[in-house]
Amino acid sequence: MKIKNMIYPAVAGLSLALLATGCSLDYDPLDTYSDVTEGVDDSKEGEEVVFKDRASVESAMTALYKKITDQQEHWYLDQLLIADSHADNAYVGTTGAEVVPYEDNSIEGSNSVIKRDWDRFLGDAAQATKLIQNIDKVGDNSLSAAEINSYSAQAKILRAMIWFDMVRLWGTIPVITTSAGDITAENVEEMYVAYFPEQNTPQEAYAAIEADLLFAAQYAPDVNQADKTLFTKGVAHAFLAKIYAEKYLRDYDKVIQYADLCAADGYDLVEDYSTLFAVDPVSFEPQRNTKEAILEGHFVTGSGNWCSWMFGAPVDNPNLNFSWAKWVTPSRDLTRLFNQNGDTKRYNEAVAFYPCTWSNYYPADNYAFMNKCRSSYSSLIKCRYADILLLKAEALIQKGDLAGGAAIIDRIRQRAGILPLQADKKSSQEALLNALLDERRMELAFEGQRWFDLCRLDKVEEVMNAVYAKDPGRHAQRAPFNQYSYLLPIPQGAIDQNSNLKQNPGY
């Protein structure tokens, strides 16, 4: 497997510099990594010491952990735009030229959201790689081998998550595992290749993701049921289950194996679905660290989840930025599915209706809003056990165990307070897979899963080319979905900067 031996230019400051390019708050983060931690250790004959002591390593780890909460655009907001509005769960919500193409299927390489996500993902992966590559060279030699492995494992989980998102979005991506050196007159030709890499194939990307997660499954911290913000063995197990369900690395036995390890880690469904997203009526804080949460980002006083006002009116401050149309508006087609299943519990957690001053998709006096991020303290749930359990059901169905798969789906439905699957839904593998897709759609609505579910099971053309006729609320379809629609275009700006990057077919 070929893996690039380099890093994008200026990545150390890339993610911070790009914060100014989109919707964001003014952050003044504490304990973030900076070039102050770099230096030269004279005792090692001029060898670069990126992390001069334990404190600098811990500062770098703090910075990595803050990625998910501090950079909510590409970790959360854009994921829902792509996974729910580019699919049939939602309309884009607003009229901006950067987002409408996700609804009408006219995305091009010049799209600013794509460029933002590409750059920021690469910048985040670069910082993780910098720690992975240099943690065993800490200047004061104060870290034990076990601590080095643990920190490296946590950084590898983050890097694997980034690559996983990128490979599902773009297919061929630069898989960068080491940092390039400084450019000098003597090495400029060599460094050009290092700073402007070619793309790896999806197979190579998934192999790198697998390697990072397998390392993390061995060396990451044990699951801490009291703190679900940590990159633990349980997170590694969950994402191993997810990657083994993908077509480039498909192994349904391993999906089942790692889903079962998640159960052994102590993850389970909460008894009441509504507790996953509800917030306290006084403090406006959610239940954090539930037994169902595998990885989540927490927001407390002074570090608000500003995405709450990108999706609707936050219950803790309803007038905050509520003068313009919001993103990710629930679709009528999704409402229809909830109604067909009599699923009021999950529907009420996913969708809320209240007045606004615009009428892009619904009457202004009774407008639909995405309801799973309803407070500036709402947790960002990156992964939860229901997702992994339903992936186990998918694996069982694909292996021919229809009864086993149906039993898991019915367990999810029972928690939602609706009837078990009818006999016709369990009559064949195809029928049950379609029922599974519907169940994942209702259970995981507005959690960034729907588009990737359709891609994983080769359902994009079948589902998306039919939805426009069923859902008169959507913008008119600009182009049919076809075999090229499973991947987004590589950002044209990235291609302009790096001639070694090649555009995906169809764009």
Side-chain angles (χ1 to χ4, degrees), residues 241 245 252 255-257 259-260 385-413 421 428-429 432-437 439-440 456-457:
Y252 288 123
V255 174
I256 295 167
Q257 172 191 344
D260 288 345
Y385 182 63
D387 176 13
I388 306 305
L389 191 57
L390 286 170
L391 283 178
K392 179 181 177 180
E394 181 179 317
L396 290 170
I397 295 167
Q398 295 282 30
K399 284 173 58 66
D401 183 358
L402 303 190
I408 291 175
I409 296 173
D410 283 343
R411 179 184 172 192
I412 297 289
R413 292 172 69 87
L421 291 174
S428 68
Q429 185 181 61
L432 192 53
L433 278 175
N434 286 331
L436 170 81
L437 271 173
E439 203 61 41
R440 286 185 60 86
R456 185 178 65 256
L457 294 176

Side-chain angles (χ1 to χ4, degrees), residues 105 451 460-461 465 479-487 505-507:
N105 195 35
W451 173 257
V460 168
E461 299 99 320
N465 284 328
F481 289 84
N482 57 34
Q483 72 270 29
Y484 301 126
S485 302
Y486 288 75
L487 298 175
Y507 296 101

